[in-house]
Amino acid sequence: MQIEIVPNVNEARSDNFINKTVIVIDVLRATSSIVTALENGSEGIIPVETVSEAKSFNIKNELLSGERYCKKITGFDLGNSPLEFLNHDMNGKRIIMTTSNGTRAIQKSHKAAHVIAGTILNASQCAKKAIELKRDIVLMCAGTQDKFSLEDGLCAGLIIHELNQLQEEEIQLSDFSSAMYLSFLQAKNELQKTILNCSNGKKLCKMGLKEDVIFCTKQNEYSVVPILRDNIMVSM
Amino acid sequence: MQIEIVPNVNEARSDNFINKTVIVIDVLRATSSIVTALENGSEGIIPVETVSEAKSFNIKNELLSGERYCKKITGFDLGNSPLEFLNHDMNGKRIIMTTSNGTRAIQKSHKAAHVIAGTILNASQCAKKAIELKRDIVLMCAGTQDKFSLEDGLCAGLIIHELNQLQEEEIQLSDFSSAMYLSFLQAKNELQKTILNCSNGKKLCKMGLKEDVIFCTKQNEYSVVPILRDNIMVSM
């Protein structure tokens, strides 16, 4: 089983995903929010690219969520905070979601055989389910704009670590995958501190969202693995 | 002092290098060969992009060197092997060099305030000289075609480690720089083994060039730091 990593969404080339499982990773905060939403009873998350696309839905039993520049979009029910998702009643509801990088990464993966969402919260189960899908794996780090984000790289390294633990398949790592695996191993005892000090961690702390960052670094807190089916992220 | 990394030469955007010091890194093998050539008495290395450009020089006291697909170019005096450079008489001679990625990375850095060459062989001195140049630093990993190469990333991490040791300036790392620093710290006690097992390491071993790989992983063996002056890499 080959493991590759896309360092940020702008480097995603969708033809490279054919026949593969893409694990979309946006630790701060889109995939963490998606995982939390499903754990908290949501029926599914519909990722859309633009604010106007989100607004164009004929809302019945859905919630609108999303951010731009880390802030909730005016008029939306929810922003992109997993803690907000945790504390909101979303039982049986679907969520229409648009974020700067994470939902775009999901949409760019549309040629993959399978698209699932990976986070620090569900890394162990995510690795287990990815093995079950029996395809080569692309870990797609959403990043921020056209830049690599450390928290996504470390989560990719953690998922590789979990894949290695399972030892059900021989894992072949690309050079970039090896680098992220090494980074995770070095940071693993200080994962929360490292992420609080990376670029997005610092930015969110400055905006008063430190608790969100801390929540997103909880390792293997959840067992749900979101998978894209008919353009909706549902529990696998 | 800000530290950034370009993961491979294809991602280099020359406008980002203005007023900065670019450290070009191509561990396997261009910058390792350049460092070795200067240590072995060469007067300077002229990096050129194409084979025909190399051949167009009016050769007097110069040697032609270069590779394509890791193999010496037909009719050239030298390939791209640092061990070959070590064992060839190049005292007082200039070397015209063209390689697939390393010399291209040097040429793409032309808008920088300073361009120097970094390797595992000269990492400590390279960091020292880069501090003396008093500019923000871009570590440009040459990579292989459009891909990141682990040995270049680990060398970038090593140079960051050396910069930290000097503690003469406050170092601010981009997220990608932090990742490479973490990777290096994790791999540092097995640097040679890690590089022998990465993509280029394995490729060169298969071609019978294991000794070259081993040579290129010798830490701080040399003190020369090549710098680009009037399009020639000379000793700083």
Side-chain angles (χ1 to χ4, degrees), chain A residues 5-9 23-32 101-102 105 118-120 139-145 147-160 176 180-181 183-184 191 194-195 198-201 216-217, chain B residues 175 179:
Chain A
I5 296 183
V6 176
N8 69 71
V9 62
I23 304 178
V24 176
I25 299 169
D26 187 6
V27 171
L28 299 175
R29 297 168 290 164
T31 55
S32 297
N101 306 291
T119 64
I120 296 171
L139 293 151
M140 196 203 293
C141 297
T144 309
Q145 311 302 339
K147 287 209 166 123
F148 167 81
S149 293
L150 185 60
E151 70 278 11
D152 295 338
L154 290 173
C155 180
L158 163 62
I159 291 171
I160 292 168
F176 195 80
M180 293 306 107
Y181 181 46
S183 296
F184 166 73
L191 201 58
T194 306
I195 293 178
C198 75
S199 175
N200 281 329
C216 293
T217 60
Chain B
D175 273 19

Side-chain angles (χ1 to χ4, degrees), chain B residues 14-33:
Chain B
S14 55
D15 283 344
N16 286 349
F17 305 152
I18 295 169
N19 291 326
K20 294 178 185 168
T21 296
V22 172
I23 304 179
V24 176
I25 299 169
D26 186 7
V27 170
L28 299 175
R29 300 169 289 164
T31 55
S32 298
S33 291

